Every structure is written in C-alpha cells, then in structure tokens.
Amino acid sequence: MTAQAHTASSPSPEGQRLPVVKGGLPLMGHAIPFARDPVGFLLRAHGRQGEAVAFSLPGRRVASFCGPQANAAVLSLDDSEADRRPVYEPLVTPLVGPGAIFDVPAEVKTWHDSLLLSLLRRDALARHAPDMFDQVERYIAPWPASGTFELMTVMRDLAARITAHCLIGPRFNRTVGPALATLLDQLQAAFFMSFVVGSRSLLPHHRRADRARKTLTRAIKEIAPHDRPEDSERSHFEELMSAVGPDGRSLDEDTAAAVMLGWLFASASTPAHAAWTGVLLLQHPQWLPVLRAELEAAFTDHPPATLSALHSLERLGHCLLEAERLHPAVWLLARTAVRDLCVRGYRVPRGHLVCVSPGASHRLPGVFRDPGTFDPDRYLPDRREHRAAPCALIGFSGGRHPCLGMSFALQTTKVIWSVLLRAFDLELADPDVREARTDLKHPPRRPCTVRYRRRNR
C-alpha cells in the first residue's frame, strides 16, 4: 500500500470529496458524452477540475484519476482495495469459458499467469522471433508487385497467426489461422456490447460470440494436445495439463482450453497498436528513411531473425512508444473499490468504479511536450519524457498488474513493420484516419486503405 493511496482503519477514511462533473442526466448520468468521446470527455473534466473527478454512468458512480502521480496511486492499489475482477469477470468469462482469467481466486489466477509467463520470458521470445518473421513473410509472399490492402484486416490476421503459432502451436495455426481473426473479432464485438449495455443480452453479437467460443474451444481441445513445437517433446497444452496448482490439482481439459482461449483473446490489443503504428508512420513519411536505414544496418538480405537484431531497432521502438502514447489500445483501466478508500487525498466510497485513462493521461501538456504531435524524439536519452514521472506512459497498464504480454505484443509489432517497411513502399490512400468508436480498442476506422509497391531488396 502506498502513502498516496491507502485505506483507513475506520469505515470512512479522511479525505476531501471528489469534484463532480456537471451536466449529468437523470438515470443516464454522463453516459452520452462519455460514450461519444471518452478520452475527450475525461480531458475536459480533468482540465476543469483537476486530477480527480466523479461522474456517473447507468448504475455506476465513477471516480476518475488523471496524471502520472494519480495513475501510480490507483495502479498501486491491491485487489483487497480495488479489484479488477468485478469489472471484467462478467464481460470476459462468457467469452472464454469458466475457470480462466478472472473467474478464479486470486492465487489461482497468479498460477495461471505463471503458466503463460513461461512462453513470454526472454528465452521464449528469442525462440519466437524466427517464427514471427516467417509468419509475416509467408503472409505477404502471394501479394502481387503492387496493390492495396486494408490495414486493420492485415494487422489482425498477422497478430492472430503469430499468437496462435507461438502460444498454441504450429498445427493449430495452420488449421485455424485463416479463420482465427474473424472468430476473435466476434468475441471482441460481444465484449464491447456487454460493456455498453451493462450486461450480457441476447443480441446477435452474443450469439455469434457463443458460436465462436465453441468453435475455438473445440479446435484447441482437438488439435493443441498433439501440437508439439519443433524440437519439443511436449505440446503447450500438455505442459498446461501437467502443471500442479496451489491447491495441489492440475487443470482439466475444459479449463486448459479456456486458459488458452484467454491467451488468444488477450492478444486482441496488438492489431490496434500495430495499425496505429503504421498510420502514424505513413502520416509522417519523413521518418521512413530513418527507419529503413536502421533496418538495413540491423538486417542483411534476409533478416537474421534474432532478438538482438530486433532490440537494435531503437528508432522503430520509439515510434511504437509514440503510437502507444497517442492511441493506446486500452484507453480505460478500471477497478471496483472493495472498501472506502482515500486516493491522492480524495474519498472514494466502496462500490465506486476507480479508473485511470491512458488516452487522457498521455495527452497532458504538463507531462508531454506538444502532446498532440507525433514526436518519436521525445524518447531519446536526452529527453525521455515517458520517464520523467512514474506511470506517465501506461498504454500497457502498470503498477501491480502490468500487461503480461507487453513484450510479446511489442515484438510482434516490431517484426510486422520490420518486414513491411523493407518489402514495400507504402502510402495511405487517405491520410485522414480517425478512430473507430464502436470498438473498445479504438482502432483506425475501416476501411483504412494502404497502397503498396514492392521494393528491390
């Protein structure tokens, strides 16, 4: 527990009352302006009233905090103070199945996370690198010498295939890969609708999601147990089934499948980040020669698919950070106050939704110079604006619960754009690209068409 965010021993901790955002409607509260433009709504509210505000949504009171110090205070709260489970469990469990992600006690979730981490450690990322490059090269190999592609479609296809190959297995990817992105999109659409309407209903989105979950679960159970990566004696599914949990028991087949489906579902943030990286680069083409020079220095005729080569791409890494800042794939991080809290000197009553917004915090002029400007130089050693304060950059969360797959997601995005920038000359058909507000990830609005022409390599 931090000095900035604490619970008092009494039921009513000391602290001042949260300033309330004006303009709410009966029953609806601030739902309309919040749904229309959540980041803009929060920036305006915090700009007028400071780092902490309160507003209402249907059936919910929200305590919103904004700024590096406030982010750090909220993200340092443990689950006994502000718990993620009540927020996300009703949304996620129907999509992946019971017994996974948030539908388990805290100690079991920690164990499940440790099983995933074995596939995300540095040595594992080094093993994944050649497979990632291979998946992208195979995907673009049939493309003609010139043409167009829809950016989000390509990013979701590549991210899904890379994740399936590396975390489930090569046979699963070959069998399900072509349909995987569509099935995951159906899960994401139901997740968004549940978030908007506040509960799961019999909307077409949910019926499609139920079918997608059953299809993916069946495929995992049929294929994954025998899907051994090259030079491995056991499949990832067999590794899951052989692990022993804190209660002395192993996973059954259904739960292991739900855990693996949870890994696939969690990868859905990668396409949006990868797409925005591309949009920003193509909107600012002066950066392309810089990146291509860096790529030529790191790679020979055919990229040496090594982790050290990827790590040497510092300027591309800065562009990825800037895409994370300007268009975080997760624009709201929420928890439910388990008890009365005092956060940054403000009282937060039990039951309130406690949230921070990467989308709003990343655009504060007191933290980032010219925050609306695409400026990868802000991450150079002599500036390091993202390190000037704790939790200034939280596109992959932070504090007690950072994103487990952050390194995997960034490596995936780096590989995709390493291949595309070396293989093609690229330009946006329409440089005016806007966010899609019908998706919690706020990806580029479709169609986002890119023209390409193969380069001599």
Side-chain angles (χ1 to χ4, degrees):
M1 195 179 303
T2 69
Q4 296 293 341
H6 65 276
T7 56
S9 57
S10 63
S12 300
E14 297 296 325
Q16 57 183 310
R17 187 176 180 180
L18 286 161
V20 178
V21 178
K22 297 179 180 179
L25 299 174
L27 300 178
M28 292 291 293
H30 302 85
I32 294 175
F34 181 76
R36 184 181 296 125
D37 180 9
V39 171
F41 171 83
L42 292 172
L43 278 173
R44 291 189 295 273
H46 287 287
R48 287 192 296 264
Q49 295 175 281
E51 68 172 4
V53 298
F55 63 95
S56 60
L57 299 174
R60 278 285 198 179
R61 294 288 294 173
V62 182
S64 174
F65 292 84
C66 190
Q69 290 77 21
N71 295 340
V74 171
L75 296 177
S76 71
L77 295 167
D78 63 37
D79 291 340
S80 68
E81 299 169 306
D83 194 356
R84 298 172 298 163
R85 187 176 295 105
V87 180
Y88 298 112
E89 190 280 327
L91 302 175
V92 174
T93 299
L95 304 179
V96 302
I101 308 185
F102 295 107
D103 188 40
V104 291
E107 64 274 11
V108 176
K109 186 180 188 311
T110 299
W111 173 51
H112 288 178
D113 290 346
S114 72
L115 300 176
L116 173 60
L117 285 171
S118 67
L119 300 174
L120 301 178
R121 292 192 303 257
R122 184 182 175 87
D123 59 334
L125 292 174
R127 292 195 303 272
H128 295 326
D131 293 327
M132 290 179 170
F133 275 102
D134 184 62
Q135 288 298 310
V136 181
E137 294 282 5
R138 286 175 181 270
Y139 186 84
I140 66 171
W143 292 9
S146 62
T148 63
F149 62 85
E150 203 288 310
L151 185 61
M152 266 304 294
T153 299
V154 170
M155 294 301 111
R156 68 168 196 162
D157 285 350
L158 287 172
R161 294 178 189 216
I162 288 171
T163 303
H165 186 99
C166 295
L167 301 189
I168 310 298
R171 183 182 164 201
F172 179 86
N173 179 42
R174 288 193 300 271
T175 306
V176 185
L180 182 57
T182 299
L183 294 169
L184 292 177
D185 270 1
Q186 290 169 354
L187 297 182
Q188 282 292 322
F191 182 88
F192 175 75
M193 291 307 301
S194 294
F195 178 83
V196 170
V197 303
S199 63
R200 188 171 169 81
S201 62
L202 297 177
L203 293 171
H205 301 77
H206 297 109
R207 292 196 293 272
R208 286 192 290 269
D210 286 340
R211 291 193 294 269
R213 174 180 55 79
K214 291 175 182 177
T215 298
L216 288 168
T217 300
R218 183 170 57 252
I220 290 172
K221 290 164 68 173
E222 290 176 355
I223 300 171
H226 316 290
D227 197 358
R228 296 179 179 87
E230 187 177 352
D231 300 327
S232 179
E233 295 182 356
R234 293 200 294 187
S235 67
H236 298 324
F237 194 89
E238 289 173 316
E239 296 284 357
L240 278 184
M241 295 288 289
S242 66
V244 179
D247 57 0
R249 295 186 295 179
S250 298
L251 301 177
D252 59 39
E253 185 183 50
D254 289 334
T255 305
V259 169
M260 278 195 156
L261 180 51
W263 297 351
L264 293 173
F265 182 72
S267 70
S269 298
T270 305
H273 180 239
W276 279 118
T277 299
V279 167
L280 291 167
L281 290 178
L282 300 183
Q283 286 177 330
H284 302 86
Q286 69 271 22
W287 282 93
L288 298 182
V290 175
L291 298 182
R292 287 202 173 106
E294 182 179 62
L295 287 165
E296 294 304 321
F299 296 153
T300 55
D301 186 35
H302 293 287
T306 64
L307 210 55
S308 59
L310 283 171
H311 285 172
S312 71
L313 303 176
E314 293 184 356
R315 301 305 278 149
L316 180 56
H318 296 161
C319 293
L320 265 63
L321 288 172
E322 190 69 335
E324 175 191 346
R325 185 184 71 83
L326 288 169
H327 297 281
V330 179
W331 53 266
L332 193 73
L333 301 168
R335 289 96 170 86
T336 295
V338 177
R339 61 183 75 172
D340 292 339
L341 303 174
C342 183
V343 181
R344 296 283 293 171
Y346 292 93
R347 293 193 306 274
V348 179
R350 178 177 179 269
H352 270 47
L353 202 65
V354 188
C355 68
V356 295
S357 171
S361 290
H362 291 176
R363 291 177 178 264
L364 295 177
V367 180
F368 295 100
R369 186 191 310 171
D370 297 326
T373 302
F374 178 73
D375 181 12
D377 283 346
R378 68 176 80 248
Y379 306 100
L380 289 170
D382 61 340
R383 289 177 63 178
R384 289 190 172 274
E385 295 177 15
H386 63 310
R387 302 291 190 194
C391 290
L393 193 68
I394 55 170
F396 287 92
S397 191
R400 291 183 180 270
H401 301 295
C403 174
L404 297 179
M406 178 179 71
S407 295
F408 185 89
L410 292 174
Q411 181 168 312
T412 298
T413 302
K414 240 183 187 182
V415 167
I416 290 172
W417 285 104
S418 294
V419 174
L420 294 182
L421 289 174
R422 293 190 76 235
F424 303 112
D425 290 319
L426 304 161
E427 66 174 353
L428 290 167
D430 181 358
D432 183 19
V433 180
R434 301 184 182 185
E435 291 182 339
R437 299 284 169 77
T438 56
D439 187 310
L440 282 179
K441 309 300 181 187
H442 288 186
R445 185 182 298 174
R446 295 181 182 181
C448 182
T449 304
V450 176
R451 299 190 187 100
Y452 74 86
R453 182 178 296 278
R454 284 195 181 273
R455 306 177 73 235
N456 294 323
R457 296 169 62 179

